[in-house]
């Protein structure tokens, strides 16, 4: 008998397990009611990364000492791993499953290790597809503009960048202090783009040297990524006595004379990342900076890492105070400060600062720098590029503006953010531009990959072990210099740390499923497992022994 037995009604079934066919049809008889499925999934670190870096995959090649392959995997999603390996806030580390076991993996430091390897090895530019004949103009050479240029060039399009400054890099060059991001790292990363054939023309400012509309006929598509460089207004009396935080950092990064700050008492208004860069830079040039913030430390928008370093540097934080007036007296700036208290959460989710009646006092400073946030310069754009709210508009999923063939992204659209978030905009805009140039629909529905939770990790296969952290300058050393304060991991440190990774969702060919299968139903081909369902009884041992959540019983 080689065909299935069929029943017309459930009442016909006997009260025992049975097979509905001989073993010629069902080779495992009645045993199997579940089957194992081997499928790579997303690690939570990759899911949390705005550019979806394949983290366990390149860690595997670090362990194998195949750094060329690790570099290839990183460069698929991120053209600047040596930069993000230094300044990324590491959203990936927040999602790391390992932190529920002992300590999270030092993912950013491993990215920097591979990024620096690429710089020292020299870029091996991947083969560029044959020229598509399409010309794209990218306006702005910050992280979004440079990353978009990279992705577009990799698709075979010709890319020209217009940059208003004399050197490329935007906020990477002019905003981030060199103790966090040395400028030679920037130049060496950008060299890869030039070797790929990307051209750049500097000292060309939108609205001054050219307009969008006069160039639309000369290029097949335009991507605008000019950042957010306009300091927000406090709208208080005497605001014109204050300096801009971003412009202060720009002057420092340009090497201009800033000796007037030495030994001076400087107030920095705000508690975001720019504010932390301002006060930590001031500390290094022997000034006496202070933070003034209208909420408490719990509501500060600055990265915790930078906030803690500022405190360690000995910078005072004056919390729950709001400057409401500035005036000049005897070559000093006198701030009138309103004491605040916290009320109910506002639209940002943070508790709203509320003035305390009559709690006002004055404080004298030599300089006052405001760093309360930046916004895009919309003056160079015609009205058809703006949204209903009057600000530059681009679709969040595609980067497309209202005008056909024009795309935008990065801080210019979303306001001040991180380098990796700007790269994410560049990634999706480049994909949309490519589809637009091919005449395809740019609205592509993406199905998010399944993610491996901590519950799917078999921690019996891992030992508790402390994370490897990079060597850093001491506080006493770092406040004396603009030298880089964090060092790159050495190779043995990087391998040790990569080995701590659970490799969530990525099969690294450990062979557990093959070894433990009692029925020899796990096949091993090309160093990867597969299942012989003819003989698998669905016992689930392979799934239970898989350390990484690759195998599920369905």
């Amino acid at each position: 008998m080689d065909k299935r037995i069929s029943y017309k009604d459930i009442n016909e079934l006997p009260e025992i397990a049975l097979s509905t066919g001989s073993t010629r049809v069902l080779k495992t008889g009645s045993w199997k009611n579940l089957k194992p499925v081997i499928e790579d999934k997303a690690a939570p670190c990759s899911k949390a990364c705005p550019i979806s870096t394949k983290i366990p995959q390149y860690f595997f090649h670090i362990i194998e000492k195949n750094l060329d392959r690790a570099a290839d995997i990183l460069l698929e999603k991120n053209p600047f791993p040596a930069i993000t390996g230094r300044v990324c806030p590491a959203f990936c580390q927040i999602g790391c499953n390992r932190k529920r076991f002992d300590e999270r993996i030092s993912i950013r430091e491993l990215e920097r290790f591979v990024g620096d390897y690429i710089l020292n090895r020299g870029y091996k530019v991947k083969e560029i597809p044959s020229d598509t004949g399409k010309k794209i103009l990218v306006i702005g050479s910050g992280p979004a503009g440079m990353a978009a240029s990279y992705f577009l060039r990799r698709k075979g399009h010709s890319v020209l960048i217009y940059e208003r400054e004399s050197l490329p890099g935007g906020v990477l060059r002019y905003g981030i202090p060199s103790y966090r991001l040395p400028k030679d790292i920037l130049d060496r990363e950008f060299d890869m783009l030039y070797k790929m054939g990307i051209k750049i023309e500097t000292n060309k400012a939108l609205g001054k040297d050219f307009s969008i509309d006069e160039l639309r006929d000369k290029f097949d598509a335009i991507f605008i990524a000019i950042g957010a460089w306009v300091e927000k207004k406090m709208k208080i009396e005497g605001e014109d006595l204050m300096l801009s935080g971003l412009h202060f950092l720009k002057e420092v990064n340009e090497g201009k004379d800033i000796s007037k700050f030495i030994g001076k008492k400087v107030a920095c208004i705000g508690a975001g990342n720019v504010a932390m860069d301002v006060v930590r830079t001031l500390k290094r040039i022997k000034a006496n900076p202070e933070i003034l913030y209208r909420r408490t430390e719990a509501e500060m928008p600055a990265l915790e890492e930078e906030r803690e370093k500022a405190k360690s540097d000995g910078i005072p934080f004056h919390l729950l105070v709001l400057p409401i007036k500035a005036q000049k007296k005897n070559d000093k700036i006198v701030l009138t400060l309103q004491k605040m208290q916290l009320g109910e959460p506002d639209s940002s989710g943070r508790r709203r600062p509320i003035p305390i009646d009559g709690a006002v006092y004055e404080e004298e400073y030599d300089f006052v720098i405001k760093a309360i946030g930046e916004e895009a310069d919309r003056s160079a754009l015609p009205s058809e590029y703006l949204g209903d709210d009057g600000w530059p508009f681009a679709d969040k999923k595609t980067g497309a503006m209202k005008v056909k063939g024009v795309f935008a992204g990065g801080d210019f659209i979303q306001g001040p953010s991180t380098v990796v978030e700007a790269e994410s905009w560049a990634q999706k805009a480049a994909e949309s531009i490519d589809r637009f140039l091919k005449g395809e629909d740019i609205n592509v529905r993406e199905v998010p990959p399944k993610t491996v939770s901590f519950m799917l990790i078999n921690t019996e296969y891992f030992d508790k072990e402390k994370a490897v952290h990079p060597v850093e300058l001491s506080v006493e050393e770092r406040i004396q210099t603009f030298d880089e304060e964090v060092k790159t991991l050495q190779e043995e440190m990087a391998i040790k740390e990569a080995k701590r990774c659970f490799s969530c969702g990525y099969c690294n060919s450990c062979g557990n499923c093959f070894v433990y299968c009692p029925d020899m139903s796990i096949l091993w081909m090309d160093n990867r497992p597969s299942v012989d369902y003819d003989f698998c009884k669905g016992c689930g041992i392979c799934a239970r022994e898989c350390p990484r959540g690759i195998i599920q019983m369905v």
Side-chain angles (χ1 to χ4, degrees), residues 60-175:
F60 172 76
H61 293 289
I62 291 176
I63 297 167
E64 295 289 303
K65 296 188 177 181
N66 186 354
L67 295 185
D68 285 337
R69 181 63 189 134
D72 288 344
I73 293 171
L74 261 181
L75 292 171
E76 283 178 21
K77 302 281 187 178
N78 182 2
F80 311 124
I83 293 174
T84 50
R86 285 170 165 80
V87 301
C88 185
F91 301 109
C92 51
Q93 294 178 173
I94 298 171
C96 177
N97 273 336
R98 181 95 195 194
K99 71 181 180 184
R100 297 183 62 181
F101 183 65
D102 46 19
E103 284 186 77
R104 51 87 174 159
I105 306 293
S106 299
I107 301 173
R108 180 180 60 194
E109 286 68 29
L110 287 168
E111 179 173 300
R112 171 173 169 169
F113 167 73
V114 179
D116 282 10
Y117 167 79
I118 297 169
L119 292 183
N120 295 327
R121 177 199 68 179
Y123 275 113
K124 296 178 180 176
V125 180
K126 286 284 183 183
E127 185 177 346
I128 305 295
S130 54
D131 195 347
T132 63
K134 302 294 184 182
K135 296 190 301 181
I136 299 160
L137 175 66
V138 173
I139 305 172
S141 67
M146 294 303 256
S149 302
Y150 168 84
F151 292 120
L152 288 164
R153 185 69 191 118
R154 285 187 59 163
K155 293 180 181 296
H157 306 308
S158 297
V159 180
L160 174 64
I161 303 170
Y162 281 176
E163 166 56 47
R164 71 172 182 176
E165 301 290 344
S166 58
L167 292 171
V171 71
L172 296 172
R173 182 178 301 279
Y174 296 106

Side-chain angles (χ1 to χ4, degrees), residues 237-238 241 325-336 361-368:
E237 181 182 339
L241 297 172
K325 181 180 176 182
Q327 54 188 323
K328 193 93 173 182
K329 288 184 181 178
N330 302 322
D331 291 331
K332 302 286 185 181
I333 299 175
V334 177
L335 288 181
T336 302
Y361 66 101
E362 291 186 342
E363 194 70 37
E364 191 176 86
Y365 295 95
D366 295 297
F367 297 97
V368 176

